[in-house]
C-alpha cells in the first residue's frame, strides 16, 4: 500500500510527538545502555587518523553524542523531537540539528561517519531509500555508516504511538546496497546470546 504525503506527515509527527512527550523518561531508561560494541563497530572502519567528523543520526537526548565528544571526535547530532534535541545539546555540548527524517537538509560530503543507532526502523519503507541516499550523500568518499534496528520479517505499522518497519537481513542488505553502500560487517545483539534472544540487527557500511 502506497502512503500519501499527508499519511507520511502524520507518521512522522505522531512518532516524534511520542518522543517529545517522553524525552525525560526515555533518557532515564536508556542513559546506561551499553552500546560500546556499536560505537567501536563504526569507528574501527573509518580511514585516516582521528578525530573524525561524525553525525549521530537520531541522537535522542545525547548519550552517544557525549561519548563521541569524550573520545575526542567532532560530533553533530540530529533529532526531530525538540525536548530531546535540547537535552542533547545541554548534555553533550555538541551542535544538534533539529530535523524530521522526512525533511532532511544535510550538508554534502561533510562527515566521516554516520551513527544511526535504533532509529532507521522508524522510517516508513516507502521513503527509506530516499533517506539512505541522503545519508550516503552527507558522507565523504569512503565514509562509514553504522545502523542498528530491531529485526523482523517485513512487518510495518504502529506500535502504540510509534511507527516501525522491521526488516530481515537480506532486505536490509539490498536497501543499503541500492543506496550506494558496500557491506563491511553485520552482527546481532545483544552479544553472546542465542539468535532467538538477539532482536537487534547491526550493520556497518562504506560509501561506495
Amino acid at each position: 500500500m502506497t502512503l500519501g504525503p499527508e499519511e507520511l506527515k502524520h507518521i512522522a509527527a505522531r512518532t516524534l510527538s511520542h518522543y517529545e512527550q517522553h524525552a525525560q523518561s526515555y533518557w532515564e531508561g536508556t542513559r546506561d545502555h551499553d552500546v560500546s560494541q556499536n560505537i567501536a563497530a563504526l569507528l574501527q572502519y573509518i580511514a585516516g587518523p582521528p578525530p573524525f567528523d561524525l553525525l549521530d543520526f537520531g541522537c535522542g537526548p545525547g548519550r552517544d553524542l557525549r561519548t563521541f565528544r569524550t573520545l575526542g571526535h567532532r560530533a553533530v547530532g540530529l533529532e526531530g523531537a525538540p525536548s530531546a534535541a535540547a537535552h542533547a545539546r545541554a548534555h553533550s555540548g555538541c551542535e544538534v540539528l533539529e530535523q524530521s527524517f522526512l525533511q532532511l537538509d544535510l550538508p554534502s560530503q561533510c562527515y566521516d561517519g554516520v551513527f544511526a543507532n535504533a532509529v532507521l526502523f522508524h522510517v516508513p519503507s516507502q521513503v527509506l531509500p530516499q533517506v539512505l541516499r541522503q545519508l550516503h550523500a552527507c558522507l565523504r568518499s569512503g565514509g562509514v555508516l553504522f545502523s542498528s534496528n530491531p529485526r523482523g520479517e517485513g512487518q510495518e505499522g504502529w506500535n502504540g504511538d510509534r511507527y516501525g518497519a522491521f526488516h530481515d537481513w537480506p532486505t536490509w542488505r539490498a536497501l543499503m546496497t541500492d543506496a550506494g553502500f558496500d557491506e563491511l560487517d553485520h552482527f546481532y545483539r545483544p552479544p553472546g546470546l542465542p539468535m532467538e534472544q538477539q532482536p537487534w540487527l547491526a550493520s556497518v557500511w562504506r560509501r561506495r
Side-chain angles (χ1 to χ4, degrees):
M1 182 179 66
T2 301
L3 299 168
E6 292 306 315
E7 291 173 294
L8 291 170
K9 288 180 183 178
H10 173 70
I11 287 170
R14 183 175 169 185
T15 301
L16 287 174
S17 177
H18 170 87
Y19 285 108
E20 174 68 12
Q21 295 172 25
H22 298 90
Q24 184 60 33
S25 60
Y26 184 73
W27 164 248
E28 293 170 357
T30 63
R31 63 184 176 185
D32 294 325
H33 284 187
D34 181 8
V35 294
S36 56
Q37 181 187 20
N38 295 349
I39 289 172
L42 169 71
L43 297 178
Q44 69 175 316
Y45 286 108
I46 300 178
F52 304 127
D53 292 307
L54 304 175
L55 176 66
D56 188 350
F57 186 76
C59 66
R63 177 197 63 205
D64 305 328
L65 198 57
R66 181 174 181 175
T67 298
F68 286 127
R69 184 178 182 185
T70 300
L71 291 172
H73 302 293
R74 298 179 290 266
V76 174
L78 186 146
E79 174 57 45
S83 292
H87 190 287
R89 293 186 191 101
H91 181 66
S92 68
C94 298
E95 176 186 4
V96 177
L97 308 174
E98 207 168 302
Q99 298 180 17
S100 164
F101 304 154
L102 300 182
Q103 296 177 306
L104 294 174
D105 183 17
L106 299 174
S108 177
Q109 299 188 51
C110 187
Y111 302 110
D112 301 304
V114 171
F115 190 67
N117 187 66
V119 61
L120 286 172
F121 73 100
H122 285 313
V123 180
S125 58
Q126 179 179 320
V127 294
L128 183 57
Q130 171 189 325
V131 171
L132 294 177
R133 287 194 297 270
Q134 289 172 295
L135 293 178
H136 181 278
C138 83
L139 282 167
R140 295 178 175 130
S141 179
V144 176
L145 182 147
F146 170 88
S147 74
S148 179
N149 300 298
R151 60 190 178 93
E153 298 177 350
Q155 309 96 315
E156 183 165 357
W158 291 100
N159 179 12
D161 289 325
R162 296 184 295 175
Y163 192 88
F166 304 94
H167 306 287
D168 59 18
W169 169 239
T171 301
W172 187 251
R173 179 172 53 190
L175 285 163
M176 294 298 296
T177 301
D178 289 347
F181 290 96
D182 290 326
E183 181 191 352
L184 295 170
D185 191 15
H186 79 277
F187 52 91
Y188 298 94
R189 282 180 46 86
L193 295 176
M195 184 73 165
E196 61 271 15
Q197 297 178 35
Q198 294 178 310
W200 293 91
L201 168 61
S203 54
V204 195
W205 307 84
R206 190 178 305 283
R207 172 177 166 152
R208 190 177 307 138

